Amino acid sequence: MSIQKSQIEAALGTVMEPDLGRDLMTLGMVENIAVDEAGNVSFTVVLTTPACPMKEKIKNSCIDAIKAAVPEVGSIDVNMTSKVTSSCSHHGAHGGHGNHDGHGNHGAHGGHGAPQKIDLPNVKNIIAVASGKGGVGKSTVSLNLAVSLAASGAKVGLIDADLYGPSIPTMVGLQNVKPEVLNQKLMPIEKFGVKMMSIGFLVDPETALIWRGPMASSAMRQLITDVDWQELDYLIFDLPPGTGDIQLTLVQNLAISGAVIVTTPQEVALADVAKAVTMFRKVGVPILGLVENMSWYELPDGSRDYIFGRQGGEKFAKINALAFLGSIPISSSMREGGDVGTPAIIASPDAPTSVAASRVAGEIARQISILNANCSMN
């Protein structure tokens, strides 16, 4: 008796996507089911991000479901691939249904004097990485997030939005590189598979930037709109610390898919994080979750020294109903990576810090996929 394709479809219809709570067939995640005469089966599962932490689990669930439903099956060949989903914030600005004019232009937030929304039609998801205060390692987290997502196979861009103290050029060892201009657009600088843009590529590293609010806002718009990003799955913004002009300009003018907040376990840092959380909630930007950086220092004997206190970030996330995206320990490899221009995640991928940073990147990609799926179902 030959195996029918419908039997395979029925079996895969029982496999749930763990995050989205629906089966793979309903979600349209299974393609190219083929059964040969010998009863061997092959098909493709299309994940919502190449950084999916559940990849192996989903694959094994598919194989188990087919074996249980069709015991006479031969070999089962599952090809895992991915297609990053687009943020719903592209289809009408945050939370407002009435402010889309049908031409892909997002109506501005409130009032006639508000600037036009910046539209980036080729960018599927925009992630803002923010912190309430400086010195919590936000740029390091942004860079390692970008590099990790790119290493998983995603198309990634990174904007260093700290106009007053741009650090990304130094962290990737490109202090003296200037972007090319083609067709009146700046070409992003590419390294470690990530397309990058920073004010640091455009001005002399020695020049102190003293800009007033409106100047900073217009420079920020240029970094976004005058760059030829082409197609991106994720565009990551490394925001300056705090909740000032630049942050507000960005969150009001860009269709941000979600924000990631970085803190250390310290009480002082957490007081400032509360302000950042309030800002994003006020303007209707979904918060993907909180990353606790510099969580502990790993001693040579493997024990941990909790220099800045213990689990402050995790507790804060719980109290404020935020997803906790993970803890990243403090390590000299992370600091050296930033100083010598090779991110730790590439220089020493097996170090505990790098493993933790990769895990956080997967978690962020996962939260975006859940957000996108939920809003496309609504």
Side-chain angles (χ1 to χ4, degrees), residues 59-377:
K59 183 177 180 174
N60 293 332
S61 301
C62 289
I63 293 170
D64 294 345
I66 293 171
K67 284 181 176 167
V70 192
E72 66 277 21
V73 71
S75 65
I76 302 171
D77 179 25
V78 190
N79 173 32
M80 303 296 282
T81 167
S82 67
K83 184 168 187 266
V84 175
T85 50
S86 279
S87 159
C88 292
S89 56
H90 281 313
H91 318 303
H94 302 303
H97 298 290
N99 51 4
H100 197 284
D101 65 4
H103 301 294
N105 296 318
H106 300 291
H109 274 302
H112 300 292
Q116 265 309 111
K117 273 219 170 280
I118 299 170
D119 201 22
L120 295 172
N122 297 330
V123 177
K124 290 182 177 176
N125 298 285
I126 297 174
I127 305 171
V129 180
S131 69
K133 68 188 282 290
V136 298
K138 176 183 49 59
S139 295
T140 307
V141 170
S142 300
L143 178 60
N144 282 286
L145 164 64
V147 170
S148 182
L149 289 173
S152 75
K155 295 183 184 123
V156 184
L158 173 64
I159 290 186
D160 179 359
D162 192 343
L163 297 180
Y164 300 99
S167 50
I168 296 291
T170 306
M171 294 171 80
V172 294
L174 297 172
Q175 294 90 318
N176 301 311
V177 175
K178 295 278 176 271
E180 283 180 54
V181 178
L182 271 181
N183 304 327
Q184 298 176 324
K185 287 265 192 187
L186 288 165
M187 303 310 288
I189 307 271
E190 198 161 330
K191 196 163 182 190
F192 309 119
V194 177
K195 291 179 172 176
M196 306 176 205
M197 188 44 71
S198 164
I199 200 80
F201 293 140
L202 305 173
V203 297
D204 185 341
E206 304 305 310
T207 314
L209 294 176
I210 306 164
W211 286 354
R212 291 180 181 78
M215 289 163 68
S217 298
S218 81
M220 199 61 252
R221 282 181 85 91
Q222 279 185 296
L223 277 189
I224 301 164
T225 54
D226 293 355
V227 176
D228 184 5
W229 291 108
Q230 293 177 350
E231 288 201 3
L232 293 178
D233 294 320
Y234 305 101
L235 178 57
I236 296 161
F237 275 84
D238 176 21
L239 293 185
T243 48
D245 284 334
I246 295 175
Q247 293 85 331
L248 277 168
T249 298
L250 280 175
V251 297
Q252 288 173 337
N253 295 314
L254 267 175
I256 292 175
S257 317
V260 172
I261 295 174
V262 181
T263 184
T264 59
Q266 259 170 310
E267 292 299 326
V268 186
L270 290 166
D272 290 313
V273 167
K275 290 179 200 157
V277 170
T278 305
M279 176 188 78
F280 286 118
R281 285 186 169 158
K282 249 187 197 143
V283 294
V285 171
I287 299 172
L288 299 170
L290 186 93
V291 177
E292 186 186 88
N293 196 26
M294 309 184 195
S295 297
W296 64 83
Y297 181 72
E298 195 125 335
L299 297 161
D301 65 359
S303 61
R304 294 173 174 185
D305 182 358
Y306 293 87
I307 308 171
F308 298 116
R310 204 167 172 168
Q311 292 174 329
E314 206 165 332
K315 289 171 193 154
F316 178 91
K318 199 167 268 165
I319 293 165
N320 290 279
L322 298 171
F324 184 65
L325 300 169
S327 312
I328 302 176
I330 191 168
S331 74
S332 43
S333 70
M334 207 55 135
R335 180 194 56 75
E336 283 158 12
D339 291 348
V340 301
T342 306
I345 221 157
I346 283 181
S348 39
D350 299 329
T353 313
S354 303
V355 171
S358 297
R359 200 174 292 135
V360 165
E363 195 51 45
I364 290 170
R366 179 173 160 231
Q367 293 294 338
I368 284 203
S369 294
I370 295 172
L371 204 63
N372 293 351
N374 288 342
C375 96
S376 63
M377 288 173 199

